[in-house]
Amino acid sequence: MGKLIYGTPSISVEFDDRILAHLKVVMLAKLRRGESFTFSWEYKSSQGSGHSSVWLHPAIPLQFDFYGKKDPTLNRVWLEELVQLANTPAGLRIIPEPTGSEQHSEN
């Protein structure tokens, strides 16, 4: 499990390192281009029900903390699907990873 830490004062949200690695690529690509967007996630059942959304902006501090020592292999198809979501009015959200897709190392 890794953490996405955002804002000042900050919020901290835990995600699996694999999910976080994919979110990092998508978020940094958009923010690097100066694009703001919404990111939404659902809470795990152990945390109760519900969901949250944040407005990501290039001027607001963003940090990714990974607990694993090895960078996860990235799934290009999943990245493309996440980028498409991030470019919609509803914004980026976590969707299931496509299976049987081409994967490669990147980071």
Side-chain angles (χ1 to χ4, degrees):
M1 293 301 267
K3 287 184 184 178
L4 179 134
I5 303 165
Y6 184 69
T8 305
S10 65
I11 61 164
S12 176
V13 186
E14 287 190 346
F15 295 102
D16 177 81
D17 274 359
R18 180 161 184 74
I19 293 170
L20 191 59
H22 285 78
L23 292 175
K24 175 183 171 186
V25 170
V26 174
M27 289 176 176
L28 293 182
K30 288 193 65 69
L31 294 172
R32 204 176 299 124
R33 290 189 299 265
E35 299 175 9
S36 299
F37 59 101
T38 302
F39 171 55
S40 302
W41 65 94
E42 293 181 9
Y43 294 112
K44 299 177 199 172
S45 57
S46 62
Q47 298 171 317
S49 61
H51 64 279
S52 288
S53 295
V54 293
W55 181 251
L56 293 170
H57 187 277
I60 299 173
L62 175 64
Q63 179 177 333
F64 301 88
D65 286 346
F66 294 90
Y67 292 117
K69 292 182 181 182
K70 186 178 176 189
D71 288 337
T73 301
L74 297 177
N75 179 326
R76 169 130 351 245
V77 173
W78 197 17
L79 284 172
E80 290 171 2
E81 290 178 3
L82 293 170
V83 166
Q84 287 177 1
L85 285 172
N87 290 328
T88 66
L92 178 61
R93 66 185 185 281
I94 299 168
I95 57 172
E97 179 175 5
T99 57
S101 302
E102 178 186 335
Q103 297 182 3
H104 71 283
S105 287
E106 188 176 300
N107 272 0

